[in-house]
Amino acid sequence: MSVARSRILDLTKVQCRIFSATFNPDRIRTGNKVLRERLKGPSVAAYYPRRVATFKDLQKLYPDLETWDDDEEDRLEHLGLYEPIRSMLQMSD
């Protein structure tokens, strides 16, 4: 004596509702297993040490202090913007 497929599907649907599962009678891959997992972002972020202070942070804290950022200078030279900026600074002196 076999049970009708519709009765089994109804039973499965009720089971899924009771146990908070996704009703998927066709067994299509939906990604629910991945979506139910804990997020990995907080644990990955906690692995790396916090950033202390950068050069730009110090420049923002002390704007009156004359500082020279070598990396920024190299970047400006590479872009070809260093010379116009330098000539503008010399004209203002």
Side-chain angles (χ1 to χ4, degrees):
M1 184 164 160
S2 68
V3 181
R5 178 164 166 72
S6 63
R7 297 264 305 174
I8 292 175
L9 285 177
D10 289 339
L11 176 64
T12 308
K13 194 182 295 186
V14 171
Q15 265 183 331
C16 289
R17 197 174 324 133
I18 291 171
F19 294 111
S20 298
T22 305
F23 179 66
N24 189 5
D26 299 329
R27 296 188 177 138
I28 299 172
R29 295 180 76 170
T30 61
N32 271 350
K33 179 180 176 183
V34 175
L35 293 174
R36 278 193 309 248
E37 288 180 359
R38 271 186 32 206
L39 295 176
K40 296 176 184 168
S43 59
V44 171
Y47 176 78
Y48 295 102
R50 292 186 61 184
R51 218 170 82 188
V52 180
T54 62
F55 194 78
K56 289 185 179 184
D57 293 337
L58 291 174
Q59 285 178 330
K60 286 179 188 176
L61 282 173
Y62 305 104
D64 298 334
L65 183 65
E66 188 173 332
T67 56
W68 193 257
D69 187 1
D70 289 331
D71 294 331
E72 183 70 13
E73 178 192 353
D74 292 341
R75 186 184 75 82
L76 289 174
E77 283 181 14
H78 179 72
L79 293 176
L81 298 175
Y82 179 72
E83 289 305 318
I85 292 173
R86 176 181 249 178
S87 62
M88 287 173 52
L89 289 174
Q90 287 176 350
M91 286 190 309
S92 65
D93 286 6

